[in-house]
Amino acid sequence: MLAVINCRQLITLAGPARPRVGAEMRELSIISDGAMLVLNERIEKVGTRKQVEPFIGAKCTVVDAGGRILLPGFVDAHTHPVFAGTRANEFEERAGGASYQEIAARGGGIKSTVRSTQAATLDELVQAGRRYAEWFLRSGTTTVEAKSGYGLSVEDEIKLLRAIKRLGQETPLRYVPTFLGAHDIPFEYLNRQDEYVSLLVDEMLPRVAQEKLAEYCDVFCEAKAFSIDESRAILSAARSHGLELRIHADQLSLSGGAKLAADLNTVTADHLEHADAVGIAALKSAGVQPVLLPGSVYALGSNRYPPAREMIETGLAVVLATDFNPGSSPTPSMPMVLSLASTHMKMTPAESITAATINAACSLARVEALGSLEPRKVADFVIHDCDDYRELAYFFGIEHAWKVYASGCLAFSRS
Amino acid sequence: MLAVINCRQLITLAGPARPRVGAEMRELSIISDGAMLVLNERIEKVGTRKQVEPFIGAKCTVVDAGGRILLPGFVDAHTHPVFAGTRANEFEERAGGASYQEIAARGGGIKSTVRSTQAATLDELVQAGRRYAEWFLRSGTTTVEAKSGYGLSVEDEIKLLRAIKRLGQETPLRYVPTFLGAHDIPFEYLNRQDEYVSLLVDEMLPRVAQEKLAEYCDVFCEAKAFSIDESRAILSAARSHGLELRIHADQLSLSGGAKLAADLNTVTADHLEHADAVGIAALKSAGVQPVLLPGSVYALGSNRYPPAREMIETGLAVVLATDFNPGSSPTPSMPMVLSLASTHMKMTPAESITAATINAACSLARVEALGSLEPRKVADFVIHDCDDYRELAYFFGIEHAWKVYASGCLAFSRS
């Protein structure tokens, strides 16, 4: 048995096992001078020091938080965490004035990561992914939704999903796998896009489903990627194989992705920088959760953030995620995303934390196990070296996590 | 003797002992498979492994960088690192829609930090400052320019400068002290601003100079703070006491701060978000170094970054700094500033690193000792856990430093 005591703020997020909306997003259910008991991998008891102390037995390991704050591990509901190589060279070219489009036109962008990833072995991909797994944990994240999408052939997509599975087995980080074969049109299918859609529907999806390598299917729905009709075909096929649906929608233009998400009742619609009032209303009617990714807006040098306040006021159960990837969002840090949400999207720190924990867990069908600190949930929790939860979004560019536990086991410790 | 070996990139920034301008800012003088020898607190030798290895004696402590990259410690030339309390509560109010001005009007903003700081003892301020000193070191910074300015009375400003002095003695971080009594008009001098200027000139500056508590004097020159004439009077008095000059110029409006800096030949003009071509030309003629502070632009939720490219193309020796402070820039992270510079100001990673090391050292009259890795310089250096220097600006929101040395001694080590 493990006990954590002396938490200045124990941010429980306790409450109903469903997404939090509107004013609920500001309710963190904070216990002052809090303590928590963990039995094996589950939370046993949460309360004030006085309530918990009588249950701390002689054989219990006691962790003194020293007046720090305790939160659930962040649930990062949109990441691309397995790829070979970085794109630091292209980053320098962009800083020097080249546009994302120019770089893509000469074979850079996603296509360069696809080339490196196709050339890498499974072991090499797992090795590369370990570096980022450590970064997620250090940032206080214990669960990531993990997309494939840099393989773009049957074997290479399967290789990526196997790498994700191995990372989940071999690191303390929890991975929820998503098949994103429809991330880009492979170079060799230029002008034969329909054939690639057939490959996705007829070969990749059946393999992925048969090998049980993914829980979700995602599509990059955008003028330069997959059209509304293609996206609908791919997602419908995925559903017929028992996969749940997510979608990259209305990121670079208003292409109708939000409306398609509502039509298909996807679980989430992600990005939404260009979503309009009609799209937001459609998401609300259909109960689709928006996953907002301010890291990519920032890293692309843009200032067009998604309309988070409008979504919250409409009653959408907003989720925040990093979109960690080597092109448009090279950050694994959920605190960085909280900072971006507060400074550039006018979400309060409390709303942002709700969006990064319980609401994110709902979007991954993990609300019974993750996203809050309540008895019987999995003991994924983080002691942050802060005096107040608001510091997580306020002091930016540094790592706040002091000790990180996944399933009740220490996964990272500072010094 | 200490040897560092196995550095994939040893970023020396070797070259003339003067600020780098124009294309020079992209020249980092990188040694592949580099190694470095340190004797006591000084650098003895820098070169390839082959060049250095013959000089590594039996008694030498060898640090294997494991293929990581080696850089000079960052020199952060504009910080406010000593204050009591945080302003995380106001941060939440601003995220919730309140403006900086509304908060200031009800006694928040700088005035709330001044109240807490006046109420704190010297020991309490040193204690608070230690937390931030650790953050700077963890971020790879070994020298900070440190401003007073939250005291605003003779005794409280002296108290702050003494706290800065003690932090320099008691932590591995190097502090260069700046007197910023002219940071704001104290509440009790409302409508008697001229009397506060007299207090600054007649009492504070003589005390500061007599006790040798500062090397520089700075003024917040802005419509809502000190006018051009007041700024000129304060800075001229400071010069007569032997202090060198810096100035907060053209941050919130084009108030003529850059031109005043040129007139007075200050060492630096800081902020410059609203500087125009005339101001930039004046800085160039007078040889004033611009200190750019994108962290405050970001944290205020603004998108008006200073015109860095225009400055570099005009030949100004640009400096980047964090502006670390509890109101407008709560980040101690120079890598975060490099990210902001590359993504939002179109400075390349190489230019940004030059601005954060050698050019910054020049702005603090430390170019003979700091800012590059060359024989006879002080051994302030950092091993970053990166494969390439460009990753420092590319992967954002995490801490890259693996081991940090100040004056040849280990000041921070990850795990």
Side-chain angles (χ1 to χ4, degrees), chain B residues 75-396:
Chain B
V75 177
D76 189 344
H78 184 131
T79 85
H80 306 253
V82 187
F83 52 86
T86 71
R87 299 224 295 274
N89 54 339
E90 291 179 12
F91 175 78
E92 184 163 65
E93 291 174 49
R94 279 197 287 135
S99 76
Y100 207 86
Q101 284 69 24
E102 285 165 13
I103 290 168
R106 55 174 184 263
I110 289 182
K111 287 181 173 55
S112 92
T113 298
V114 169
R115 277 196 306 279
S116 327
T117 302
Q118 289 178 339
T121 65
L122 175 61
D123 282 344
E124 286 164 349
L125 289 173
V126 171
Q127 191 53 36
R130 283 178 180 283
R131 181 185 192 199
Y132 309 127
E134 192 205 320
W135 289 357
F136 281 112
L137 290 165
R138 270 164 46 184
S139 303
T141 295
T142 46
T143 300
V144 295
E145 183 261 12
K147 302 179 196 294
S148 67
Y150 296 114
L152 306 191
S153 76
V154 179
E155 292 312 320
D156 291 310
E157 284 293 307
I158 295 291
K159 180 174 70 178
L160 276 169
L161 290 169
R162 286 186 181 147
I164 290 168
K165 186 174 179 178
R166 268 190 49 193
L167 285 162
Q169 292 163 340
E170 298 174 12
T171 77
L173 189 62
R174 198 180 302 280
Y175 288 77
V176 179
T178 292
F179 171 62
L180 179 58
H183 193 197
D184 194 13
I185 319 300
F187 188 71
E188 58 273 26
Y189 283 87
L190 204 69
N191 303 321
R192 300 188 292 131
Q193 183 145 344
D194 53 334
E195 292 178 40
Y196 186 62
V197 173
S198 300
L199 184 74
L200 281 163
V201 169
D202 300 334
E203 297 191 40
M204 291 194 195
L205 274 169
R207 270 289 290 284
V208 169
Q210 189 198 341
E211 298 196 25
K212 296 191 193 311
L213 285 169
E215 295 183 29
Y216 293 89
C217 178
D218 190 351
V219 170
F220 188 20
C221 176
E222 189 73 46
K224 64 165 199 174
F226 296 89
S227 70
I228 294 286
D229 286 345
E230 290 166 338
S231 300
R232 186 191 301 272
I234 297 161
L235 291 172
S236 302
R239 176 167 279 158
S240 75
H241 286 290
L243 297 177
E244 293 287 339
L245 310 181
R246 313 176 90 79
I247 182 170
H248 281 66
D250 300 333
Q251 177 187 8
L252 304 173
S253 60
L254 177 55
S255 60
K259 278 191 284 179
L260 177 64
D263 279 359
L264 291 176
N265 257 105
T266 59
V267 177
T268 67
D270 301 35
H271 275 294
L272 301 171
E273 285 86 337
H274 287 75
D276 62 1
V278 175
I280 291 172
L283 295 178
K284 167 68 179 159
S285 302
V288 178
Q289 285 193 263
V291 180
L292 308 185
L293 308 166
S296 63
V297 180
Y298 167 85
L300 290 173
S302 163
N303 201 34
R304 177 149 189 162
Y305 289 89
R309 280 254 63 85
E310 199 179 328
M311 292 178 185
I312 291 172
E313 274 142 33
T314 304
L316 296 186
V318 170
V319 176
L320 285 168
T322 61
D323 192 16
F324 176 69
N325 78 72
S328 59
S329 191
T331 185
S333 167
M334 201 61 96
M336 186 71 229
V337 169
L338 302 185
S339 165
L340 284 159
S342 290
T343 55
H344 285 76
M345 291 158 63
K346 295 292 176 196
M347 288 176 67
T348 68
E351 289 171 336
S352 302
I353 288 171
T354 300
T357 54
I358 191 79
N359 277 11
C362 290
S363 87
L364 294 172
R366 296 293 200 282
V367 70
E368 300 297 337
L370 306 174
S372 64
L373 298 177
E374 298 178 85
R376 286 177 302 283
K377 284 211 174 182
V378 172
D380 284 6
F381 62 90
V382 180
I383 303 171
H384 292 277
D385 193 15
C386 299
D387 292 335
D388 185 291
Y389 72 89
R390 292 170 289 198
E391 289 187 5
L392 286 171
Y394 167 69
F395 287 121
F396 65 103

Side-chain angles (χ1 to χ4, degrees), chain A residues 31-43:
Chain A
I31 299 170
S32 296
D33 194 15
M36 190 169 79
L37 276 185
V38 173
L39 183 58
N40 301 322
E41 64 175 44
R42 296 274 164 178
I43 294 168

Side-chain angles (χ1 to χ4, degrees), chain A residues 26 83 85-89 91-92 94-98 131-132 134-135 138-139 295-303 305 309 324-333 336 338-350 385-391 393-400 412-415, chain B residues 26 83 85-89 91-92 94-98 131-132 134-135 138-139 295-303 305 309 324-333 336 338-350 385-391 393-400 412-415:
Chain A
R26 299 194 181 197
F83 51 87
T86 71
R87 299 224 294 275
N89 54 340
F91 176 78
E92 185 164 64
R94 279 197 288 135
R131 181 185 193 199
Y132 308 128
E134 192 206 321
W135 289 357
R138 271 165 44 184
S139 304
S296 63
V297 180
Y298 167 85
L300 290 173
S302 164
N303 201 34
Y305 289 89
R309 281 253 64 84
F324 177 69
N325 78 71
S328 60
S329 191
T331 186
S333 168
M336 186 72 229
L338 302 184
S339 165
L340 283 158
S342 289
T343 55
H344 285 76
M345 291 156 64
K346 295 291 176 196
M347 289 176 67
T348 68
D385 193 14
C386 298
D387 293 334
D388 185 290
Y389 71 88
R390 292 171 289 198
E391 289 187 6
Y394 167 69
F395 287 121
F396 65 103
I398 57 169
E399 296 172 8
H400 294 284
F412 168 76
S413 178
R414 176 173 290 283
S415 80
Chain B
R26 299 193 180 198
F83 52 86
T86 71
R87 299 224 295 274
N89 54 339
F91 175 78
E92 184 163 65
R94 279 197 287 135
R131 181 185 192 199
Y132 309 127
E134 192 205 320
W135 289 357
R138 270 164 46 184
S139 303
S296 63
V297 180
Y298 167 85
L300 290 173
S302 163
N303 201 34
Y305 289 89
R309 280 254 63 85
F324 176 69
N325 78 72
S328 59
S329 191
T331 185
S333 167
M336 186 71 229
L338 302 185
S339 165
L340 284 159
S342 290
T343 55
H344 285 76
M345 291 158 63
K346 295 292 176 196
M347 288 176 67
T348 68
D385 193 15
C386 299
D387 292 335
D388 185 291
Y389 72 89
R390 292 170 289 198
E391 289 187 5
Y394 167 69
F395 287 121
F396 65 103
I398 56 168
E399 296 172 9
H400 294 283
F412 168 75
S413 179
R414 176 174 289 282
S415 78

